[in-house]
Amino acid sequence: MLPDEAGDPRKMSALVCFAVFLAGVAVCLHMGWALIWAMLLGIAAFGALGLRRGFSLRTLWGFAWGQGRKMCSLLVIYVLIGMITALWRSAGTIAWFIYHGLQIITPQLFILVTFALTCFLSYALGTSFGVVGTAGIIVMALARSGGVSTAVTAGAIVAGAYFGDRCSPASSSASLVAAATGTKLEENLRAMHRTGWLPLLLSAAVYAVLSAAHPIAAVDGAMLGELAQAFDLSLWTVLPALLILVLPLCRVPVRWSMAASVAAAFLVTVAQQRMPALQALRAALLGYAGPEGALREILSGGGVISMFTASVLAIATGLYAGLLSGIGALDGIREMVERAVRRAGLYPTCAGVCLLCAMMFCNQSTAPVVAPQLMAHSYEARGEGKRALALDIENSGIVLAALIPWNISVSIPLAMLGAGASALPYAVLLYMLPLCYLVTRRRLGPRAEKEKI
């Protein structure tokens, strides 16, 4: 037997591989490189460890592909999300919501309206970065010109942006959790809605108080004029959003709802905004180029190409997790997690695992993939199963990642907004969700729903 196959040396070799991976993460963050390079380095390190433990390359690929294959099911969703983020821009859908959202702002309601507008947009669009990069930037400009705290405003924007990132039918993170846990997205969304109302209302109450404490001096109407001049803001521009909001309520599968929204946005772009069909198709694939002027930088973006990095990272994360599980690198950690479950319970342990993943891997995508690898047996042994695990991840890992200052889930949005980590205490919804769920889980979780049936 090799020294690596018994006792502490076996565990030490796995720790060395983890150290190599984390060093790669640190280098990527320092150099501004995509985290996919660190993930590939981790796959190579643990692949070498697997070879040392006597596994063949074919067997190692089988381990990795077993989990990576699940992530490939997300590709259609990611393609549709990319097309939506571009065509909603070209159709004027995002501009319509920003235009009318800014019109209802009053000095004493600025922060509350900011939170409500970003919540609605993120739920309709399903992307936190897309909301921050459009409505968020505009609202931050208004806050600076009106003398409102940038920290409070940025916190409300980030919180609202992650409302939809957690529970929107078009959310890539919701689809990732469903794929990683082997659950149905539609069922997960209903459970997230059920457990999301209380923290949403409490957060809104906090933002109402903050609005009174931080009124805006005046709202600059120049941005409204530019939006009205650049787009035909008739009610037709709302159609793509209505389809993606209403069709899931009518039990239409999420993919078909998103496809219908894409088709409607394409038609509105061509017929209402007078963009040539080939140019609209190009925008859907490569991203929308906004109108000339101040709006170009804000409204440009999206497209299938914008989802390439997220798609590769999701698949690589699946390969990484499958490889770790297959060669037994997670066995020791899995035992530690089970001991934590016996002491603290399922949800607190799940939240802790997700939080550590967010801190170590510096992205939002790893926790939904790694947590099921570590905790699926613990949930099954206690009769809670996959749906409970999926909901626990959604109510912890997905939002907690955005509270880690060095995690790209929030560092990039804050950089877009020109704000710092001082905004995080004001991202109320991000910690209100885990806290409320901790208290209400027994009454509102999947087990409670099953008992009612």
Side-chain angles (χ1 to χ4, degrees):
M1 180 178 291
L2 293 172
D4 185 54
E5 292 298 312
D8 290 339
R10 180 181 176 88
K11 295 181 180 180
M12 284 299 299
S13 59
L15 289 176
V16 169
C17 291
F18 276 117
V20 169
F21 169 72
L22 292 177
V25 171
V27 170
C28 287
L29 291 175
H30 179 71
M31 301 298 295
W33 298 342
L35 285 175
I36 181 62
W37 298 112
M39 197 64 69
L40 293 176
L41 177 63
I43 291 173
F46 281 99
L49 177 60
L51 291 174
R52 185 182 177 188
R53 291 184 175 179
F55 296 104
S56 67
L57 282 174
R58 183 183 183 89
T59 301
L60 292 174
W61 172 249
F63 292 152
W65 183 239
Q67 187 67 26
R69 180 176 53 216
K70 297 179 182 179
M71 301 300 105
C72 289
S73 64
L74 298 173
L75 294 181
V76 173
I77 294 287
Y78 280 18
V79 167
L80 290 171
I81 290 173
M83 298 177 78
I84 284 175
T85 55
L87 292 176
W88 279 31
R89 286 173 163 89
S90 63
T93 304
I94 293 177
W96 191 94
F97 285 112
I98 294 174
Y99 180 83
H100 289 283
L102 295 180
Q103 283 189 322
I104 64 175
I105 289 178
T106 60
Q108 300 295 329
L109 292 177
F110 178 73
I111 299 298
L112 180 60
V113 171
T114 294
F115 175 64
L117 176 62
T118 50
C119 277
F120 186 84
L121 273 176
S122 67
Y123 187 83
L125 197 57
T127 168
S128 55
F129 284 18
V131 172
V132 170
T134 53
I137 291 177
I138 293 174
V139 171
M140 281 296 289
L142 295 177
R144 289 190 175 95
S145 64
V148 181
S149 166
T150 56
V152 176
T153 306
I157 292 169
V158 170
Y162 274 95
F163 170 77
D165 190 72
R166 166 185 171 268
C167 64
S168 167
S171 168
S172 59
S173 64
S175 299
L176 178 63
V177 171
T181 57
T183 53
K184 294 182 179 180
L185 177 58
E186 291 80 1
E187 294 179 353
N188 293 348
L189 292 175
R190 287 195 292 271
M192 281 187 276
H193 294 158
R194 187 175 62 252
T195 58
W197 282 110
L198 177 59
L200 179 64
L201 293 174
L202 292 175
S203 299
V206 173
Y207 288 122
V209 174
L210 289 173
S211 292
H214 299 272
I216 190 170
V219 177
D220 185 2
M223 189 65 69
L224 295 174
E226 291 187 32
L227 289 169
Q229 185 176 2
F231 296 96
D232 178 349
L233 297 178
S234 68
L235 287 177
W236 285 109
T237 59
V238 188
L239 180 60
L242 288 178
L243 289 175
I244 206 167
L245 293 172
V246 174
L247 290 180
L249 299 178
C250 301
R251 305 287 181 171
V252 177
V254 170
R255 294 188 183 190
W256 289 108
S257 301
M258 295 173 67
S261 179
V262 168
F266 181 86
L267 292 175
V268 172
T269 297
V270 174
Q272 202 71 24
Q273 307 300 344
R274 306 298 181 186
M275 179 183 287
L278 287 179
Q279 187 178 343
L281 182 60
R282 177 183 174 86
L285 297 176
L286 302 180
Y288 171 64
E292 295 291 341
L295 293 178
R296 175 174 285 272
E297 184 176 352
I298 296 172
L299 293 181
S300 295
V304 174
I305 193 68
S306 70
M307 298 302 297
F308 176 78
T309 300
S311 301
V312 174
L313 182 60
I315 294 173
T317 302
L319 295 173
Y320 181 77
L323 185 61
L324 262 64
S325 180
I327 67 174
L330 296 177
D331 290 348
I333 301 177
R334 196 176 286 117
E335 293 171 3
M336 294 172 58
V337 168
E338 175 59 27
R339 287 197 295 270
V341 169
R342 288 196 292 267
R343 294 177 181 176
L346 284 170
Y347 178 65
T349 303
C350 180
V353 168
C354 291
L355 189 61
L356 286 173
C357 285
M359 296 172 69
M360 292 173 57
F361 298 104
C362 305
N363 66 74
Q364 188 193 45
S365 303
T366 306
V369 180
V370 173
Q373 297 287 319
L374 295 176
M375 299 197 67
H377 176 73
S378 297
Y379 276 78
E380 291 173 4
R382 289 160 178 81
E384 300 226 0
K386 298 177 180 178
R387 287 184 58 198
L389 175 57
L391 185 57
D392 285 3
I393 293 172
E394 291 283 7
N395 285 330
S396 60
I398 298 302
V399 291
L400 290 175
L403 289 174
I404 309 301
W406 58 88
N407 192 294
I408 62 173
S409 299
V410 71
S411 62
I412 291 177
L414 289 179
M416 290 180 185
L417 298 173
S422 60
L424 295 182
Y426 299 102
V428 180
L429 183 65
L430 299 185
Y431 50 83
M432 195 68 75
L433 264 165
L435 290 175
C436 288
Y437 186 64
L438 179 64
V439 175
T440 62
R441 184 179 185 272
R442 183 180 296 273
R443 183 169 296 180
L444 297 178
R447 171 173 284 187
E449 182 183 23
K450 185 176 180 181
E451 289 174 355
K452 291 179 181 178
I453 296 174

